[in-house]
Amino acid sequence: MESNYKFYNFEKSLERIDKILNFTSAFEDKKDIPKRDDLTFTNGYYVNCCSLFIDIRDSSKMPEKHQKRVLAKIYRAYISEIVAVINGSIICKEINIIGDCVSAIFKGQIKKDVEEVLNIAAQVNSLIDVLNYKFMKKGYPTIKAGIGLAWGRVLMIKSGYSESGISNVVWMGDAVNQGSKMCSKASKEVSSPIVVTDDFYHNLSEEDKKLFTQGSSYSTTNYYYSSIVNPFMDNWIQIQKDKATKNKSSKLW
């Protein structure tokens, strides 16, 4: 959110705090995620949703090893195309970018929604491979990312500074918190790039469940991991690699 300077008045601040804390908020149950315009500073909605988090591993070390102009290209390409993949889903309701972490909220009313979000995660996983192929051709460093997925009930509220017009939607609940935690496990605690919560896993079809392996029994929460990819995108990568191998072989002769 872009700032727009407003002089800070402490007395007004005290009034706002008391008004917020003393107000009896009306939080409604909704079958579907409502429009942002339906939110006010005094209401809120309980909804089922899926969350998706993508984060680059060891990104804090990258500025120490690579030029800023190269990193700028890597981050721009990564964020641009991750957002493009996510935004290509009709059930996506929210996209956020914080540093190199991209997160999104999707509808989660039926199992078909959960399976679509899994397909988005597979596309993202393949996209990382596509980006790395392009980076290597330019002599740039490759990246590794973790992808976390969760499903559950959240409280959707509008929060911000009403007098300034600065506000945002806040999603509160395990479906968001656990999605972030699953992301932190992926390509780190487990070698696989995709990790999902127990609730997300149990909303998948029996066929999709076979693509996952259950996490360590020593963990306090159940989770499942996978390395699934998008077949079309993965096929493109394999064709490019085969072409490169053939060209290399022909040069040797």
Side-chain angles (χ1 to χ4, degrees), residues 175-234:
V176 177
N177 299 334
Q178 292 300 316
S180 177
K181 288 181 180 179
M182 296 303 104
C183 178
S184 68
K185 288 180 180 293
S187 296
K188 195 173 183 180
E189 289 183 31
V190 297
S191 58
S192 297
I194 299 173
V195 179
V196 307
T197 61
D198 189 60
D199 286 337
F200 188 96
Y201 172 82
H202 285 292
N203 273 290
L204 294 173
S205 67
E206 293 304 314
E207 197 65 28
D208 283 340
K209 285 179 182 177
K210 295 176 183 178
L211 303 172
F212 285 84
T213 302
Q214 187 168 6
S216 170
S217 59
Y218 296 104
S219 175
T220 55
T221 56
N222 287 335
Y223 64 91
Y224 298 80
Y225 58 89
S226 178
S227 299
I228 57 172
V229 295
N230 176 273
F232 178 79
M233 297 168 74
D234 188 58

Side-chain angles (χ1 to χ4, degrees), residues 14-29:
L14 292 174
E15 290 178 16
R16 284 193 301 271
I17 292 170
D18 288 337
K19 184 178 179 181
I20 291 170
L21 296 181
N22 293 329
F23 192 87
T24 304
S25 298
F27 298 148
E28 300 178 48
D29 285 299

